[in-house]
Amino acid sequence: MTTSGPSGQQAPEEQPPPAPTAVERANRMSAANMIRSLLPLVVICLLVVGWGAFRQGGTDPVRPIDPTSSVRLATERASYPVEVPAGLPDGYRPTSARTDAPDVAEGAPVTLEIGYVTPSDEYARFLVTDDADAERLTAVLDGAQDDGSVDLGGRTWTRLTSERGETVLTREDGDVTTLVTGSADDAELQTVAAAVAPVSEPS
């Protein structure tokens, strides 16, 4: 439909704007536009990752275990009175326990081993056995150098230095050898050795 102007001439009809071409549409989706559209998503992702890292940063990676079952098995099968560290101060956390008691014949030697993380986050290893040839015992004692003795908990322990340069505290009672060693310093290893006592009978 046309209309007449003041001069009587017809005004041209208004045409709708032409549809954008493919090139124009592509230009609108430029790299800058894409970055602006993705920015909120990137920020959210960074916040989620940061929050997860913050929560994990305050988590203690040490997972303490309860060595009671291994101690009980060793006590039931061993032909000697089993002793273990008891009443250790806060900060000494058992993280491993193993015994060969379930696999040995009745009357055969029994070995019990418990590993601890110490207050300084080092490692202390306790071992008791009546097997002089136990691999876990000889691996520590073979090549170790005598370095005197120390009295702990009313008992005399021989002090050695292993081939790895770690302190070894060991004590023999007949056929039974008790050993404490690890990367912990002397004071922490002596604390573990001094705490060694007979296993209490369950009430």
Side-chain angles (χ1 to χ4, degrees):
M1 179 177 181
T2 60
T3 58
S4 298
S7 60
Q9 295 180 348
Q10 292 182 340
E13 288 188 358
E14 293 183 2
Q15 299 295 328
T21 64
V23 174
E24 291 173 332
R25 289 195 299 270
N27 288 336
R28 291 177 184 176
M29 293 299 293
S30 63
N33 288 333
M34 293 181 67
I35 291 174
R36 282 195 293 270
S37 63
L38 290 175
L39 186 58
L41 180 60
V42 172
V43 171
I44 292 173
C45 291
L46 290 175
L47 288 174
V48 171
V49 172
W51 174 246
F54 172 77
R55 293 187 62 186
Q56 291 180 358
T59 302
D60 188 348
V62 177
R63 299 295 180 90
I65 58 97
D66 184 356
T68 301
S69 59
S70 295
V71 173
R72 184 177 65 251
L73 285 170
T75 302
E76 291 173 350
R77 300 300 298 271
S79 59
Y80 60 92
V82 174
E83 297 186 334
V84 297
L88 285 168
D90 291 342
Y92 289 84
R93 295 157 289 177
T95 56
S96 64
R98 66 186 72 183
T99 179
D100 57 3
D103 304 319
V104 300
E106 185 175 354
V110 170
T111 300
L112 171 66
E113 183 178 17
I114 305 175
Y116 298 87
V117 170
T118 68
S120 65
D121 289 331
E122 294 295 338
Y123 180 67
R125 174 185 175 193
F126 165 81
L127 183 145
V128 60
T129 184
D130 60 344
D131 182 1
D133 297 322
E135 181 180 353
R136 296 184 179 281
L137 179 68
T138 58
V140 175
L141 296 182
D142 286 355
Q145 300 296 314
D146 194 328
D147 196 15
S149 61
V150 58
D151 291 331
L152 301 167
R155 297 170 174 176
T156 299
W157 294 71
T158 299
R159 187 186 187 282
L160 308 170
T161 301
S162 71
E163 289 188 327
R164 297 176 58 179
E166 296 177 341
T167 295
V168 181
L169 300 172
T170 183
R171 181 173 56 82
E172 294 184 1
D173 184 4
D175 294 333
V176 180
T177 300
T178 306
L179 177 150
V180 175
T181 189
S183 62
D185 62 25
D186 282 21
E188 290 182 329
L189 295 177
Q190 289 180 15
T191 297
V192 175
V196 173
V199 175
S200 301
E201 293 293 333
S203 55

